Amino acid sequence: MSDFWTYWYIHIPNFVLAAIAYTLAGRFLLGLFVPQDWDNYIWRFFRLITDPVVRVVRTITPSAIADPALVPLAFLWVMALRFVFLATLISLGVAPAASSGA
């Protein structure tokens, strides 16, 4: 547990980005089976969490991309952001070194 608090500046943003990414994946998969205006509380939760991300992706994505493709595209953007975040921390030398596992 001490590693978590030592490297909290890596773990907390990574966890938040992962939670958003997998919520986007859940919204996409659930959206294959339910209507977009469904009033179920689970669907409303998915939309509450992911709508801000989808709106940001809509502003940076060309308008040629159809609306149904925005959620998986947002998932890809968030996963790319996670990768860039980790790569930046590694290149700055502030990420922990990989252990041998022994």
Side-chain angles (χ1 to χ4, degrees), residues 24 27-29 31-32 36 43 54 57-58 63-75:
L24 282 162
R27 175 181 171 171
F28 175 70
L29 291 174
L32 295 174
Q36 291 296 315
W43 183 248
V54 172
V57 169
R58 171 44 74 200
S63 60
I65 302 296
D67 284 339
L70 280 180
V71 174
L73 188 61
F75 173 81

Side-chain angles (χ1 to χ4, degrees), residues 13-101:
N14 186 45
F15 177 79
V16 169
L17 288 172
I20 292 170
Y22 294 120
T23 305
L24 282 162
R27 175 181 171 171
F28 175 70
L29 291 174
L30 186 60
L32 295 174
F33 302 103
V34 302
Q36 291 296 315
D37 59 348
W38 195 34
D39 196 31
N40 184 282
Y41 66 96
I42 295 172
W43 183 248
R44 286 194 321 254
F45 172 77
F46 276 121
R47 299 230 15 193
L48 176 75
I49 299 299
T50 58
D51 273 349
V53 177
V54 172
R55 276 195 300 272
V56 168
V57 169
R58 171 44 74 200
T59 60
I60 62 174
T61 304
S63 60
I65 302 296
D67 284 339
L70 280 180
V71 174
L73 188 61
F75 173 81
L76 293 174
W77 274 109
V78 172
M79 293 303 278
L81 184 61
R82 284 183 71 196
F83 176 77
V84 167
F85 174 69
L86 182 60
T88 302
L89 292 176
I90 290 171
S91 70
L92 293 174
V94 295
S99 64
S100 64

